[in-house]
Amino acid sequence: MEYPLLSDQQLLVECSRDNLKAFNVLFDRYFTKLYRYALGYVNDECFAEEAMMDLMMWVWEKRHTLEIQGEFKHYIFRAAKNATIKVIRKRAIQTAPIESIENHISFTSATADHGILTSEMEQSYRQELDLLSPQRKIVFQLSREEELSHAEIADNLDISINTVKNHIKFSLNHFRKGFLRYKDAALAIAFLLFVR
């Protein structure tokens, strides 16, 4: 099947059948346009990228129940505006700067159960990693364990950079949900971000 030749509607139907290839085409078709659109609102590359990654992730998560009246293009750009506003609000209520998280981690490191917690998170990380799809797992490992750039991963796997970003964003969300049970959220987040 030549996915790039399919209409948005056909791609959405394929997405509802859990077809990741169709979603990657839809993602590649819209992400850059949506990113530029969001950038017009927030004038911040990180904010714009996060908002649009969250939006595309939401489309995938809702693939079985998503009902769109009219063209997907119009729908997704309206949703982009709302997603951008959501990120702005989320950033506005964000609390601790990275220095305080680092201080908290240093303090936690001194506690007796730090080694046990880290070992438990390592085991959890491996279990959650195994739940990812094969390609997503490879992309995440190349990024976090082999420390390859998005461009290097895209080149190695013969996929687009946006697809690489998509895989990493979905994987991070997957791990974030898996680490919710840890009371020491700062340590869990740091473990997830810096795991090698």
Side-chain angles (χ1 to χ4, degrees), residues 108 111-124 179 181-185 187-188 191:
T108 307
T111 63
D113 62 349
H114 172 68
I116 296 168
L117 182 60
T118 303
S119 173
E120 186 182 330
M121 281 191 294
E122 173 70 30
Q123 185 179 358
S124 251
F179 279 171
R181 65 180 171 275
Y182 291 100
K183 291 180 182 176
D184 193 335
L187 183 60
F191 180 88

Side-chain angles (χ1 to χ4, degrees), residues 81-117:
K81 182 177 179 180
N82 294 331
T84 305
I85 292 167
K86 181 180 175 183
V87 169
I88 291 169
R89 287 178 180 158
K90 186 168 82 170
R91 292 291 177 141
I93 61 167
Q94 219 172 16
T95 53
I98 192 69
E99 293 80 13
S100 66
I101 292 175
E102 288 170 351
N103 291 340
H104 183 70
I105 291 168
S106 298
F107 173 77
T108 307
S109 298
T111 63
D113 62 349
H114 172 68
I116 296 168
L117 182 60

Side-chain angles (χ1 to χ4, degrees), residues 24 27-28 31-32 49 53 139 149-169:
N24 285 337
F27 183 93
D28 288 343
F31 181 79
T32 302
E49 183 177 10
M53 290 296 283
V139 168
S149 69
H150 291 173
E152 289 170 326
I153 296 168
D155 188 51
N156 286 349
L157 300 179
D158 195 28
I159 57 178
S160 74
I161 290 178
N162 280 339
T163 299
V164 171
K165 289 180 180 180
N166 174 34
H167 283 318
I168 291 172
K169 179 73 174 184

Side-chain angles (χ1 to χ4, degrees), residues 22-191:
F23 177 73
N24 285 337
V25 171
L26 197 65
F27 183 93
D28 288 343
R29 186 176 289 177
Y30 281 99
F31 181 79
T32 302
K33 295 174 186 174
L34 293 169
Y35 165 76
R36 289 183 184 140
Y37 177 76
L39 203 53
Y41 280 96
V42 294
N43 198 28
D44 184 298
E45 293 178 0
C46 291
F47 276 26
E49 183 177 10
E50 180 181 350
M52 296 309 99
M53 290 296 283
D54 285 348
L55 174 60
M56 294 306 291
M57 186 165 57
W58 179 85
V59 170
W60 176 252
E61 288 173 348
K62 300 294 182 184
R63 64 193 180 278
H64 298 124
T65 56
L66 196 60
E67 292 183 17
I68 298 171
Q69 303 297 324
E71 291 184 39
F72 178 73
K73 179 180 180 179
H74 300 305
Y75 175 87
I76 200 68
F77 277 93
R78 281 195 306 272
K81 182 177 179 180
N82 294 331
T84 305
I85 292 167
K86 181 180 175 183
V87 169
I88 291 169
R89 287 178 180 158
K90 186 168 82 170
R91 292 291 177 141
I93 61 167
Q94 219 172 16
T95 53
I98 192 69
E99 293 80 13
S100 66
I101 292 175
E102 288 170 351
N103 291 340
H104 183 70
I105 291 168
S106 298
F107 173 77
T108 307
S109 298
T111 63
D113 62 349
H114 172 68
I116 296 168
L117 182 60
T118 303
S119 173
E120 186 182 330
M121 281 191 294
E122 173 70 30
Q123 185 179 358
S124 251
Y125 166 72
R126 292 293 164 197
Q127 289 171 347
E128 295 294 335
L129 186 66
D130 288 338
L131 295 176
L132 295 173
S133 68
Q135 188 177 43
R136 195 162 283 165
K137 180 179 177 180
I138 291 167
V139 168
F140 193 80
Q141 286 180 303
L142 289 174
S143 170
R144 289 304 192 268
E145 297 176 18
E146 301 298 321
E147 300 183 22
L148 297 184
S149 69
H150 291 173
E152 289 170 326
I153 296 168
D155 188 51
N156 286 349
L157 300 179
D158 195 28
I159 57 178
S160 74
I161 290 178
N162 280 339
T163 299
V164 171
K165 289 180 180 180
N166 174 34
H167 283 318
I168 291 172
K169 179 73 174 184
F170 275 64
S171 298
L172 285 171
N173 187 58
H174 168 77
F175 284 114
R176 201 162 28 239
K177 288 176 182 173
F179 279 171
L180 283 177
R181 65 180 171 275
Y182 291 100
K183 291 180 182 176
D184 193 335
L187 183 60
I189 290 166
F191 180 88

